[in-house]
Amino acid sequence: MPSPQARSLTSYDHWQFVAACALSLILMVIDEQTQLMMQSRMVLSTLIQPLEWLARLPENWIGQSNQALTDRATLTAEADKLRLQVLLLSQQLQASEQINQENDRLRMLLGVASRVNQSKLMVGLIVDHSPDPFRQIVRINKGTKDNIRNGMPVMDAHGLMGQVLSVNFNESDVLLVSDIAMKIPVRVVRTGARGIVQGDGNTELNLKFLPTTSNIREGDVLETSGLDGRYPSGIPVAEVVNVKSQAGSVFWQVSAQPVAKIGSSREVLLLMGKPLAVESVTP
Amino acid sequence: MKTLRWLASQHQSHNRWLVLMTLLFGVLFDSISWSSSWGIAFPDLTPLILLYWVMALANSNFLLTAFFFGILHDVLYHTGLGTYALIYCLLVYPMLHVRLQLRNKTLLQISLFIGVWMLAHQLLVWLITPANHLAGQNIAFWLAALVSALLWPLIFMILRTLRRNAHIR
């Protein structure tokens, strides 16, 4: 490796190293402790969007060529299956419309406003997932141009999926409930006992701080308690799959499975309520 | 003579774009999603390309480049801003001290050295980024250092050919 101007290190190099490290540390602390870097992150994220689009190309090409190779029989079978699904779904839709009307009448009687106003919902589409296999982050096709803001709760047809982590002009990143950084205050639907659900970084959730004096069992459904003011209460979050007690511990060790199909859902619902803070969500 | 020197310097600075392009390619490659968790055994290309240029161009210190590409990596991977900037600077700085000695070593020796360097990289990533504490439990995460050593001769050959063709010094 020839280089005619090879030189040894000078004090300028040392100072540059110290300055770069100091600046990195300052940025890390500001980003971790405050919301000041959110705007810069949004701008940088928008700037590198073409780069990410380029990175997605090989994956998209492979997907498209796979699709092109799908044979006719498979397509016919799929079409038949979809026709059947349309019939079933339209029947279910009619039933759910009746239930909605009944619900609205009951709510009016009780004088309680709808918890999730239909006019404040937006449908987004999952377009990508995080390149890091140990983070549970997906990207959706809605950004600041659609009035998406950090901290907005995201649901699928089954339950809570996560929360908007960062937004750029066209797209947003959603931190899923199963991410290790995600903590959601919940209550057990059957008993009303409160706890905090935390992702395990894979596909499951752990229910924390539920005292062993509380009544909980497999199959119990956990829903948002609404105590943090971030999520409306009553959104299903997870279903308990395993309850263990640990010797010496005053809390149950509870594993739960998210009710949202976080691995397979493509369409998501964004709850467009008032601006929400995201202090507890750190990448 | 002065004009010739000016032209030479312009030519050189023009070719420095190639260094940035290779690093950009590294960032682009790193952002490709791997479907299997074994995908993390494939090391990040950006630090490897960065280390090559640090070794090859002994007239620059590459600390600002490391900082800039670290920030780019942070935005791409949703890590705290400055995290990878710090990791890359910590990776490049000791290399600046040993790069002149490394020139006298064989490619195999340098590959082993790169393996150790990338092990330090993985260790820093594991220690500094909380989300990767989980990744550290996976053996594939640490295997990335070994894969780096195995990949190094190929990366070295490609980048050296590019450097020689572009007359980067």
Side-chain angles (χ1 to χ4, degrees):
Chain A
M1 280 179 271
S3 178
Q5 295 148 3
R7 61 175 177 85
S8 51
L9 290 179
T10 61
S11 61
Y12 171 74
D13 297 316
H14 300 309
W15 278 114
Q16 209 172 27
F17 169 69
V18 172
C21 286
L23 189 58
S24 304
L25 284 169
I26 291 167
L27 280 175
M28 280 167 75
V29 171
I30 295 174
D31 197 34
E32 181 75 25
Q33 303 295 332
T34 71
Q35 306 285 312
L36 292 173
M37 302 308 291
M38 210 160 269
Q39 201 71 23
S40 326
R41 205 178 252 280
M42 197 194 290
V43 172
L44 282 170
S45 180
T46 308
L47 282 177
I48 63 162
Q49 222 183 335
L51 203 69
E52 287 184 284
W53 177 79
L54 271 175
R56 266 186 239 149
L57 275 184
E59 214 176 336
N60 291 347
W61 283 337
I62 292 167
Q64 278 169 7
S65 54
N66 279 347
Q67 213 173 351
L69 290 170
T70 311
D71 58 38
R72 196 195 148 125
T74 317
L75 286 173
T76 317
E78 202 172 325
D80 288 343
K81 199 174 136 194
L82 288 172
R83 265 187 222 114
L84 190 67
Q85 268 184 2
V86 167
L87 275 174
L88 285 169
L89 286 173
S90 44
Q91 188 270 329
Q92 280 175 5
L93 188 67
Q94 282 173 0
S96 72
E97 270 172 3
Q98 282 174 354
I99 292 168
N100 275 344
Q101 284 168 5
E102 193 181 337
N103 267 343
D104 285 343
R105 282 199 305 274
L106 290 170
R107 281 199 189 110
M108 278 168 71
L109 279 172
L110 287 167
V112 179
S114 299
R115 278 181 301 206
V116 180
N117 189 341
Q118 293 294 312
S119 65
K120 287 181 181 172
L121 288 177
M122 179 178 277
V123 179
L125 207 64
I126 295 176
V127 289
D128 198 11
H129 54 92
S130 169
D132 186 344
F134 289 93
R135 295 308 305 272
Q136 302 284 315
I137 297 170
V138 292
R139 177 158 286 196
I140 57 169
N141 67 342
K142 300 286 174 200
T144 46
K145 70 172 177 11
D146 309 293
N147 292 325
I148 303 297
R149 280 185 292 269
N150 284 317
M152 280 180 172
V154 180
M155 298 166 64
D156 75 351
H158 309 278
L160 188 73
M161 275 198 94
Q163 183 178 17
V164 175
L165 174 67
S166 63
V167 194
N168 66 39
F169 187 66
N170 290 314
E171 295 176 332
S172 316
D173 290 321
V174 175
L175 188 71
L176 298 178
V177 286
S178 50
D179 191 277
I180 203 151
M182 192 67 155
K183 296 179 186 78
I184 307 158
V186 292
R187 68 167 168 246
V188 181
V189 173
R190 188 171 54 86
T191 62
R194 288 192 296 268
I196 290 175
V197 146
Q198 184 178 14
D200 72 345
N202 201 357
T203 54
E204 283 203 347
L205 312 174
N206 298 316
L207 178 61
K208 308 228 164 184
F209 311 120
L210 191 72
T212 43
T213 49
S214 314
N215 180 1
I216 188 156
R217 62 183 180 216
E218 286 172 25
D220 272 346
V221 175
L222 310 175
E223 63 176 21
T224 50
S225 62
L227 286 182
D228 59 349
R230 190 157 301 159
Y231 306 98
S233 66
I235 304 176
V237 179
E239 191 180 316
V240 174
V241 289
N242 191 14
V243 181
K244 275 193 290 188
S245 65
Q246 205 176 18
S249 172
V250 291
F251 299 116
W252 288 113
Q253 252 189 333
V254 183
S255 305
Q257 196 78 40
V259 290
K261 309 284 179 211
I262 54 173
S264 54
S265 282
R266 194 157 156 73
E267 287 88 12
V268 294
L269 288 171
L270 289 128
L271 270 60
M272 313 278 289
K274 58 181 174 144
L276 296 155
V278 284
E279 288 85 9
S280 76
V281 181
T282 47
Chain B
M1 192 66 186
K2 261 186 183 174
T3 321
L4 272 177
R5 234 181 258 156
W6 182 81
L7 275 175
S9 71
Q10 289 302 303
H11 182 61
Q12 196 172 320
S13 67
H14 172 72
N15 284 338
R16 283 297 169 100
W17 281 102
L18 187 75
V19 177
L20 295 180
M21 291 311 285
T22 53
L23 284 165
L24 211 56
F25 171 80
V27 173
L28 191 72
F29 193 88
D30 292 342
S31 69
I32 293 173
S33 312
W34 296 95
S35 49
S36 133
S37 66
W38 280 100
I40 57 163
F42 196 88
D44 286 351
L45 274 191
T46 318
L48 285 172
I49 296 171
L50 191 63
L51 288 177
Y52 171 81
W53 289 119
V54 172
M55 274 194 268
L57 305 178
N59 54 338
S60 309
N61 67 19
F62 282 98
L63 284 165
L64 277 180
T65 315
F67 180 81
F68 172 75
F69 278 92
I71 293 284
L72 203 61
H73 199 287
D74 288 331
V75 178
L76 212 62
Y77 274 75
H78 305 285
T79 39
L81 268 188
T83 309
Y84 269 81
L86 180 69
I87 290 171
Y88 286 175
C89 286
L90 289 173
L91 211 64
V92 164
Y93 184 68
M95 181 58 89
L96 295 172
H97 286 85
V98 293
R99 61 181 171 182
L100 293 176
Q101 287 94 313
L102 275 181
R103 286 156 172 257
N104 304 320
K105 308 288 182 212
T106 62
L107 188 53
L108 184 70
Q109 284 172 320
I110 298 175
S111 296
L112 288 173
F113 195 81
I114 289 295
V116 175
W117 226 254
M118 287 305 284
L119 190 64
H121 170 264
Q122 296 299 90
L123 193 68
L124 284 171
V125 169
W126 182 61
L127 286 174
I128 299 177
T129 58
N132 276 302
H133 287 166
L134 204 69
Q137 292 168 13
N138 193 329
I139 187 79
F141 179 79
W142 301 104
L143 270 179
L146 182 69
V147 180
S148 306
L150 295 173
L151 275 177
W152 180 254
L154 181 71
I155 294 167
F156 179 85
M157 298 287 184
I158 294 170
L159 290 176
R160 188 176 61 174
T161 312
L162 275 175
R163 182 175 62 80
R164 284 185 176 169
N165 286 341
H167 305 290
I168 305 172
R169 281 165 175 271

